[in-house]
Amino acid sequence: MKVFNVGVVGIGDISDVYIRNLLGYDIVKVLACAGRDLEKARAKASQHGIPRAYSNATELFADPDIDIVLNLTTPDAHAELNLAALE
């Protein structure tokens, strides 16, 4: 079974619920997270055992190992970030 590497963009409080749920599935690995502040991203990564932390979505999108992006940013940022992730 192929494991899909997930990158989480947006690391506010709700991200804890999503990340904990993702960690319960063998088919996904939460490989990275990104937020607007690198220290917060590193703290979130440490809290959940996520190997990589980025200071912005662009860095996460450039990671060639990411298969799927989970966008947990505010709704007003979804379109811009989703389009960037697809590119």
Side-chain angles (χ1 to χ4, degrees), residues 65-80:
D65 296 325
I66 298 295
D67 299 310
I68 300 168
V69 173
L70 174 58
N71 184 352
L72 299 177
T73 61
T74 58
D76 61 314
H78 282 185
E80 178 184 348

Side-chain angles (χ1 to χ4, degrees), residues 45-56:
S46 177
Q47 176 185 354
H48 292 287
I50 299 170
R52 302 175 191 175
Y54 296 106
S55 64
N56 61 63

Side-chain angles (χ1 to χ4, degrees), residues 1-76:
M1 163 179 28
K2 177 176 174 27
V3 174
F4 295 92
N5 292 322
V6 176
V8 178
V9 177
I11 53 170
D13 293 337
I14 195 66
S15 69
D16 293 323
V17 174
Y18 281 88
I19 293 168
R20 276 194 305 269
N21 286 334
L22 285 172
L23 293 175
Y25 293 94
D26 294 334
I27 196 168
V28 297
K29 176 180 181 180
V30 182
L31 183 63
C33 65
R36 291 178 285 185
D37 178 282
L38 183 56
E39 289 310 311
K40 288 182 181 179
R42 286 180 176 156
K44 185 68 67 171
S46 177
Q47 176 185 354
H48 292 287
I50 299 170
R52 302 175 191 175
Y54 296 106
S55 64
N56 61 63
T58 303
E59 291 177 358
L60 185 140
F61 298 158
D63 186 330
D65 296 325
I66 298 295
D67 299 310
I68 300 168
V69 173
L70 174 58
N71 184 352
L72 299 177
T73 61
T74 58
D76 61 314

